[in-house]
Amino acid sequence: DSGNCTYNGTANTFTCTGVTSFSEYSIGEAETALPVELVAFTGTLDGAAAVLAWQTASETNNAGFSVEMQTADAASWTALSFVEGRGTTLERQRYQYRHALPVSGSYAFRLKQIDYDGTFAYSPIVEMTTLPEAALVVHPAYPNPARDRATLTVELGTRASATIAVYDVLGRQVKVVHHGDLTAQAHRVQVDVTDLAAGLYVLRATVGQHEHAQPLMITR
């Protein structure tokens, strides 16, 4: 059983769980199983870096893991680093590897588990996509016109301080929707307008040195 992989948009995490062993991916005889029980493999973006973490339930003769990466335009995999295993143990083990991504784009990662006798196997694959560091994408708020609330989607290429506020047509700030840091991912911000009178307003997102403004019509 190779387990299941799910993506958590809020945490920006791709997780593979329920993996009972690497044996399905082993090279060699079908009955040969590599006795390393992988129970979780996650990939998380931290700014422009990929943070990979994995856990094993038990290990037998485990030399370690080669961390491999593939870019969207490459046909082959590149070995990034080797993380030593715990040899033989019945205790749960936790590993982590951090890799600075050179440019924005889509990346895939996998683990090549290597036994002491040279036998190896591959883990499931986790994928992640980074935006350019300076990127700020603000999608149109919807619904617009809004009666009770609207949703504003903001995508960031790096962690930054953000303020999202509503202004009237005279340029006066009438409501602060969000103030604080946002991580490098897509955020859906709920704009509650039930306390505002009907009319035309401006929804303004200020993120770092970037600013984006769009009209927002409120109806009753």
Side-chain angles (χ1 to χ4, degrees):
D1 181 5
S2 61
N4 298 308
C5 297
T6 59
Y7 177 71
N8 185 321
T10 302
N12 199 28
T13 303
F14 195 101
T15 306
C16 296
T17 59
V19 182
T20 56
S21 76
F22 279 87
S23 60
E24 182 176 345
Y25 309 94
S26 61
I27 305 300
E29 297 297 329
E31 64 271 16
T32 301
L34 294 178
V36 173
E37 296 181 70
L38 181 70
V39 294
F41 181 31
T42 67
T44 305
L45 283 174
D46 182 12
V51 180
L52 303 175
W54 62 100
Q55 299 178 30
T56 62
S58 65
E59 302 177 15
T60 303
N61 297 325
N62 178 28
F65 307 87
S66 175
V67 182
E68 299 184 349
M69 181 182 76
Q70 183 183 53
T71 58
D73 58 352
S76 60
W77 292 80
T78 300
L80 301 176
S81 184
F82 183 79
V83 178
E84 290 188 3
R86 302 293 191 266
T88 298
T89 177
L90 295 178
E91 298 181 354
R92 183 179 293 258
Q93 304 296 319
R94 292 176 172 82
Y95 301 88
Q96 187 176 95
Y97 177 75
R98 181 186 180 93
H99 179 68
L101 301 175
V103 296
S104 59
S106 297
Y107 296 86
F109 296 89
R110 70 183 182 185
L111 304 173
K112 180 181 180 180
Q113 188 274 323
I114 305 174
D115 212 12
Y116 282 135
D117 64 3
T119 310
F120 63 90
Y122 294 105
S123 74
I125 295 171
V126 297
E127 299 176 339
M128 57 191 74
T129 301
T130 63
L131 293 171
E133 184 174 343
L136 169 63
V137 179
V138 181
H139 298 273
Y142 69 90
N144 192 3
R147 182 181 299 274
D148 299 317
R149 68 189 69 251
T151 300
L152 181 70
T153 301
V154 181
E155 296 183 56
L156 283 76
T158 186
R159 186 184 186 93
S161 175
T163 299
I164 300 173
V166 180
Y167 294 77
D168 64 18
V169 291
L170 298 179
R172 298 172 299 192
Q173 185 181 97
V174 296
K175 186 182 186 69
V176 175
V177 178
H178 172 86
H179 180 71
D181 285 354
L182 290 178
T183 55
Q185 63 184 73
H187 298 268
R188 290 181 175 84
V189 181
Q190 298 298 314
V191 183
D192 186 344
V193 298
T194 55
D195 57 342
L196 298 178
L200 179 63
Y201 294 83
V202 176
L203 184 58
R204 181 173 298 160
T206 304
V207 183
Q209 302 300 314
H210 303 274
E211 185 174 290
H212 176 90
Q214 58 179 275
L216 177 64
M217 177 65 71
I218 298 175
T219 60
R220 291 289 180 258

